[in-house]
Amino acid sequence: MITEVLTCTAPAKLRRVDSPVEWIVSDAPVPYPLAMEAMQARAVAIARDEAPEAVWLLEHPPLYTAGTSAEAGDLLQPDRFPVYPAGRGGEYTYHGPGQRIAYTMLDLRHRGRDVRCLVQGLEAWIIDTLDAFNVKGERRDGRIGVWVGQPGRPGGESKIAAIGVRVSRWVTTHGIALNVSPDLSHFGGIVPCGISDRGVTSLEDLGQIVTMAEADMALRASFERAFGPTVSQRAESLVTAA
């Protein structure tokens, strides 16, 4: 069922122009525990008004994460890759090379204090990014994330990006996972996001050969349109801060 049910009546409230968001890119895969430690440390600093907001773009080595709603039976191959509790909403997800993770550490005290609006803003961010590559991303009622039509695939559609967030003291952690060119067979070890009657896809699977740098440029331009200005920062500043 395709719908566009929006509860965020004023998406402009997500935009902030008084303080640029640090835009951080890690070129090498980052171990999941290290990423979680660094992200949580930055979120605590933001909540204490000791650090600016940040978006961290990275890749992980192949792994599975379990959200707070994960069902044990959805982990089909528990020995295939490491499995980590994620501490975010949602179910099982896969992360690995070729997938662009964007961890968003945003202060909702300055962005409307509306978690539902945030999730819709993250979906809109992905949809706008995909548009740069002539891919039509869509929302689905009752299924968080971004989908694309794929006739001939199960359900006639596939998921191209997942969203999972956590909010503590009005500061967000976790974020989005956009499939640029991952090994899609790696998703076979789980029921992704608990949805068994749909598949997953990527820009590469859709015939769009996109480098990670090109994906990053599109993500940044789209983020700035929706959320406000950014400023580049070295990855070392975030990791060493943990």
Side-chain angles (χ1 to χ4, degrees):
M1 180 180 181
I2 300 175
T3 59
E4 288 289 328
V5 178
L6 301 180
T7 60
C8 185
T9 56
K13 66 185 175 183
L14 291 173
R15 184 171 176 80
R16 182 183 183 187
V17 298
D18 62 306
S19 180
V21 176
E22 288 192 348
W23 193 264
I24 301 166
V25 180
S26 289
D27 295 325
V30 179
Y32 192 78
L34 176 61
M36 294 301 99
E37 182 181 3
M39 178 177 63
Q40 295 295 342
R42 171 55 70 93
V44 169
I46 293 170
R48 293 175 176 169
D49 297 319
E50 296 173 353
E53 298 174 298
V55 171
W56 186 14
L57 303 187
L58 53 83
E59 294 171 272
H60 286 307
L63 58 91
Y64 298 127
T65 66
T68 55
S69 301
E71 298 284 344
D74 287 345
L75 182 58
L76 305 178
Q77 299 175 8
D79 298 324
R80 186 170 186 180
F81 298 126
V83 181
Y84 296 97
R88 49 146 180 83
E91 303 180 62
Y92 281 106
T93 58
Y94 165 76
H95 296 317
Q99 183 189 71
R100 181 48 99 202
I101 306 293
Y103 287 133
T104 56
M105 292 147 275
L106 302 177
D107 191 344
L108 297 188
R109 294 173 298 179
H110 300 281
R111 297 182 186 272
R113 296 178 184 255
D114 188 332
V115 177
R116 198 174 292 241
C117 189
L118 169 71
V119 171
Q120 292 179 357
L122 296 176
E123 289 174 333
W125 174 24
I126 298 167
I127 290 169
D128 190 40
T129 298
L130 292 173
D131 188 61
F133 304 108
N134 298 311
V135 171
K136 180 176 174 54
E138 299 172 332
R139 295 181 174 92
R140 294 293 186 262
D141 187 21
R143 288 186 267 145
I144 293 173
V146 176
W147 301 76
V148 296
Q150 279 196 298
R153 298 289 180 91
E157 63 183 8
S158 301
K159 194 171 193 177
I160 194 168
I163 294 173
V165 294
R166 181 176 180 177
V167 179
S168 177
R169 298 173 65 186
W170 290 112
V171 176
T172 71
T173 49
H174 301 277
I176 69 170
L178 173 64
N179 295 332
V180 179
S181 58
D183 184 339
L184 295 179
S185 71
H186 289 179
F187 286 88
I190 57 172
V191 178
C193 300
I195 299 171
S196 59
D197 60 349
R198 301 290 191 275
V200 292
T201 190
S202 66
L203 286 169
E204 182 180 65
D205 187 46
L206 294 169
Q208 300 296 324
I209 306 304
V210 177
T211 67
M212 200 61 76
E214 290 169 336
D216 290 350
M217 289 177 60
L219 281 164
R220 187 170 188 172
S222 179
F223 181 90
E224 290 185 332
R225 285 192 288 271
F227 291 89
T230 64
V231 59
S232 296
Q233 182 58 275
R234 292 169 59 88
E236 291 81 357
S237 67
L238 181 61
V239 174
T240 56

